[in-house]
């Protein structure tokens, strides 16, 4: 009987398939799953947008601590891009950008005229800063004059007694790295030569290591940036000519050793678009707010300081008694060169102003 039923079912299945074009088993499955749908074709994959490259910053600890660490933190938090920080020294950063192993350099000085590794870089001034002499809080001295600094670094003054302190030796500290930003800027202001030979027996890798040494030596003297130590109670910042370094005295130029902090990059760098984006952020209102929180003056906020550079040098020379001539030969040629190679640097602005003054003087003479 079972075989008869099986035979009848098979015949019915064949007849159903012939009339509908669908096997009975498939129809039965469809009846059991009436909601089943044919899978839709997959949508075409969207083209991937290339990820923005991570840019590499390398430079001195002065600019890293002054603004880079905070700028990068905010830049990445806003998902604007990625930046790798490699703090070490001024020269290492500049040379890395020159040879293409880094994208941006941090420097507490402008370009060194004539140095080949810097001739293809543009130096972007980001902030005005104070270069400050520091010692231990245990040292009773509170003030130092420009003349005293001038003589101390040349080895002519060697005792704190000469500064109104105790009869103790001045343990002078400096940064060993060649053409370090802070050291170079201080020497250029005091002696008109950033590479002036000085008598500094205690040398450190960078300003942060120098500060650590000063903190444990009551007879120490060294230079760093105000933004690095203004809130450090383990370090005493000395006044210069009775003036403290503050945002007010930096902005109005009354603090004598004001200078600029820079970012430097190649105009033909492989990640130039990303570099331009970050530098624009550093100069934006958001970037300026970060600078102000670090006791810095955004460069664009104090344009009158550019007009005070000659006045600054004249004042320092008057206090130190320096008769060393400041290079002013071929002022227009110098200005043209700097405008082509480092259009945003202090050197370029200063040279441009000097060239204009030279032309005005010549025109006045010719008119008489």
């Amino acid at each position: 009987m079972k075989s008869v039923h099986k035979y009848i079912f098979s015949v019915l299945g064949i007849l159903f398939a012939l009339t509908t074009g669908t096997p009975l088993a498939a129809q039965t499955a469809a009846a059991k799953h009436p909601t089943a749908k044919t899978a839709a074709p997959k949508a075409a994959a969207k083209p991937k947008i290339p990820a923005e490259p991570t840019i590499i910053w390398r430079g001195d600890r002065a600019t890293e601590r002054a603004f880079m660490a905070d700028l990068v933190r905010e830049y990445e938090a806003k998902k604007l891009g990625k930046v790798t920080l490699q703090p070490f020294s001024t020269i290492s950063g500049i040379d890395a950008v020159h040879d293409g192993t880094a994208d941006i350099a941090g420097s507490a000085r402008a370009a060194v005229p004539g140095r080949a590794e810097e001739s293809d870089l543009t130096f972007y001034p980001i902030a005005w800063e104070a270069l400050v002499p520091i010692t231990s809080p245990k040292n009773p001295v509170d003030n130092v004059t420009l003349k005293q600094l001038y003589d101390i670094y040349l080895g002519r003054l060697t005792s704190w007694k000469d500064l109104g302190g105790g009869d103790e030796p001045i343990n002078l500290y400096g940064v060993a790295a060649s053409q370090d930003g802070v050291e170079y800027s201080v020497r250029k202001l005091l002696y008109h030569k950033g590479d002036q030979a000085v008598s500094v027996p205690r040398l450190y890798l960078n300003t942060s290591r120098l500060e650590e040494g000063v903190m444990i030596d009551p007879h120490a003297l060294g230079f760093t940036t105000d933004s690095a130590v203004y809130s450090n109670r383990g370090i005493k910042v000395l006044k210069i000519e009775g003036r403290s370094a503050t945002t007010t005295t930096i902005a109005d130029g009354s603090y004598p050793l004001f200078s600029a902090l820079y970012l430097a990059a190649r105009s033909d760098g492989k990640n130039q678009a990303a570099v331009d984006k970050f530098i624009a952020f550093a100069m934006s209102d958001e970037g300026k707010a970060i600078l102000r929180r670090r006791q810095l003056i955004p460069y664009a906020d104090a344009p009158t300081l550019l007009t005070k550079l000659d006045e600054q040098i004249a004042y320092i020379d008057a206090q130190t008694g320096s008769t060393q001539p400041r290079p002013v030969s071929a002022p227009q040629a110098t200005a043209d060169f700097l405008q082509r190679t480092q259009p945003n640097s202090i050197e370029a602005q200063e040279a441009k102003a000097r060239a204009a003054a030279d032309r005005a003087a010549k025109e006045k003479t010719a008119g008489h």
Side-chain angles (χ1 to χ4, degrees), residues 294-355:
R294 297 291 299 169
Q295 296 295 108
L296 296 165
I297 309 296
Y299 190 81
D301 283 7
T304 57
L305 282 183
L306 281 173
T307 67
K308 292 180 178 289
L309 294 176
D310 284 343
E311 184 180 324
Q312 177 192 33
I313 295 301
Y315 176 77
I316 293 172
D317 287 351
Q319 301 305 117
T320 60
S322 174
T323 57
Q324 207 167 344
R326 186 172 182 80
V328 292
S329 59
Q332 188 59 56
T334 301
D336 290 344
F337 172 76
L338 289 171
Q339 284 293 312
R340 288 196 308 273
T341 57
Q342 303 114 38
N344 299 302
S345 71
I346 283 183
E347 292 293 332
Q349 300 294 336
E350 185 179 352
K352 186 177 180 180
R354 288 183 180 280

Side-chain angles (χ1 to χ4, degrees), residues 52-55 72 75-83 274 277:
E52 189 166 295
T54 296
I55 56 179
V72 169
Y75 191 73
E76 293 186 343
K78 290 181 175 296
K79 301 187 183 304
L80 297 174
K82 295 285 186 180
V83 182
K277 182 180 176 182

